[in-house]
Amino acid sequence: MALLQEWQDFAEKQGTTQEAAQAFWTDYFQQEKEVYAKLLVETEVISGTVQELADRYGMDLYRMTGFLDGINDSLKTPNPIDTMEADTLVSLDYDKELLYKNMVDAKAEWLYELPQWNDLLTPERQKELYKEQRRSGIIVKGPKIGRNDPCPCGSGKKYKFCCGKVK
């Protein structure tokens, strides 16, 4: 069984009660925060096997798998997360702006407010990325086209006789 499936099964079993689930995720998010605090100050791209990264950052193999699953969308070259095993070589070569935006999207305030971001992105850029990400989830509807209004396609016909025609 691939590590990702094992991680998902492991995490699911931790939630037998609400208190147990909350304790598990609080612990996981604290470990995740510690890994990001270290990762964001690294000057070179981090790579190694999943087990080596787990050892390097003081996590067990399952939690490291969860971390890799979470960061995978922010990597320049995604890791083979679905087929990953303990000896799979992975890289943490992340796109810093994409990672920041993904943290904002996940509402992971404990991660996008880490002080280490100030060395990677200016406070102004952080605000811009935050606003960009928040705006990307907003759906803006255009004005409603009336049946007798000119068709927006530019045909010169009324909307009801052109694009609004029921076929």
Side-chain angles (χ1 to χ4, degrees), residues 146-160:
R147 292 171 25 90
N148 290 315
D149 291 341
C151 191
C153 76
S155 66
K157 297 180 182 179
K158 289 184 178 184
Y159 179 68
K160 66 181 178 184

Side-chain angles (χ1 to χ4, degrees), residues 108-166:
E109 190 175 316
W110 66 95
L111 297 177
Y112 68 77
E113 288 188 352
L114 284 169
Q116 289 83 350
W117 281 110
N118 295 330
D119 295 332
L120 294 173
L121 301 168
T122 65
E124 295 79 24
R125 186 63 183 145
Q126 289 177 45
K127 286 178 186 174
E128 288 172 16
L129 291 170
Y130 181 88
K131 287 179 182 176
E132 274 179 37
Q133 184 57 43
R134 298 301 288 175
R135 268 187 262 140
S136 70
I138 298 172
I139 299 172
V140 179
K141 287 187 175 181
K144 185 172 177 13
I145 303 167
R147 292 171 25 90
N148 290 315
D149 291 341
C151 191
C153 76
S155 66
K157 297 180 182 179
K158 289 184 178 184
Y159 179 68
K160 66 181 178 184
F161 294 120
C162 189
C163 295
K165 189 175 185 179
V166 179

Side-chain angles (χ1 to χ4, degrees), residues 1 10-11 14-15 17 22 43 57-58 62 66 69 82 89 97 125-127 132 141 145 150 154:
M1 183 184 303
F10 175 74
Q14 304 307 309
T17 66
Q22 187 171 0
T43 56
Y57 292 109
Y62 292 134
D69 183 31
D82 294 330
L89 190 61
E97 291 190 356
R125 186 63 183 145
Q126 289 177 45
K127 286 178 186 174
E132 274 179 37
K141 287 187 175 181
I145 303 167

Side-chain angles (χ1 to χ4, degrees), residues 30-147:
Q30 181 58 40
Q31 288 185 28
E32 179 186 45
K33 180 179 177 179
E34 291 169 7
V35 172
Y36 275 115
K38 294 174 186 174
L39 183 63
L40 293 174
V41 297
E42 295 285 346
T43 56
E44 294 183 17
V45 174
I46 305 299
S47 62
T49 65
V50 177
Q51 185 64 58
E52 290 169 348
L53 292 180
D55 294 341
R56 178 179 184 149
Y57 292 109
M59 296 177 94
D60 64 47
L61 195 57
Y62 292 134
R63 285 176 177 82
M64 179 50 69
T65 302
F67 175 83
L68 292 170
D69 183 31
I71 196 173
N72 210 41
D73 290 338
S74 303
L75 300 176
K76 292 177 182 174
T77 304
N79 291 314
I81 197 77
D82 294 330
T83 59
M84 203 167 54
E85 296 294 339
D87 60 351
T88 303
L89 190 61
V90 294
S91 171
L92 297 179
D93 187 13
Y94 61 91
D95 177 322
K96 62 186 174 187
E97 291 190 356
L98 180 58
L99 178 60
Y100 189 85
K101 287 170 76 170
N102 286 341
M103 288 176 174
V104 170
D105 186 42
K107 297 177 178 66
E109 190 175 316
W110 66 95
L111 297 177
Y112 68 77
E113 288 188 352
L114 284 169
Q116 289 83 350
W117 281 110
N118 295 330
D119 295 332
L120 294 173
L121 301 168
T122 65
E124 295 79 24
R125 186 63 183 145
Q126 289 177 45
K127 286 178 186 174
E128 288 172 16
L129 291 170
Y130 181 88
K131 287 179 182 176
E132 274 179 37
Q133 184 57 43
R134 298 301 288 175
R135 268 187 262 140
S136 70
I138 298 172
I139 299 172
V140 179
K141 287 187 175 181
K144 185 172 177 13
I145 303 167
R147 292 171 25 90

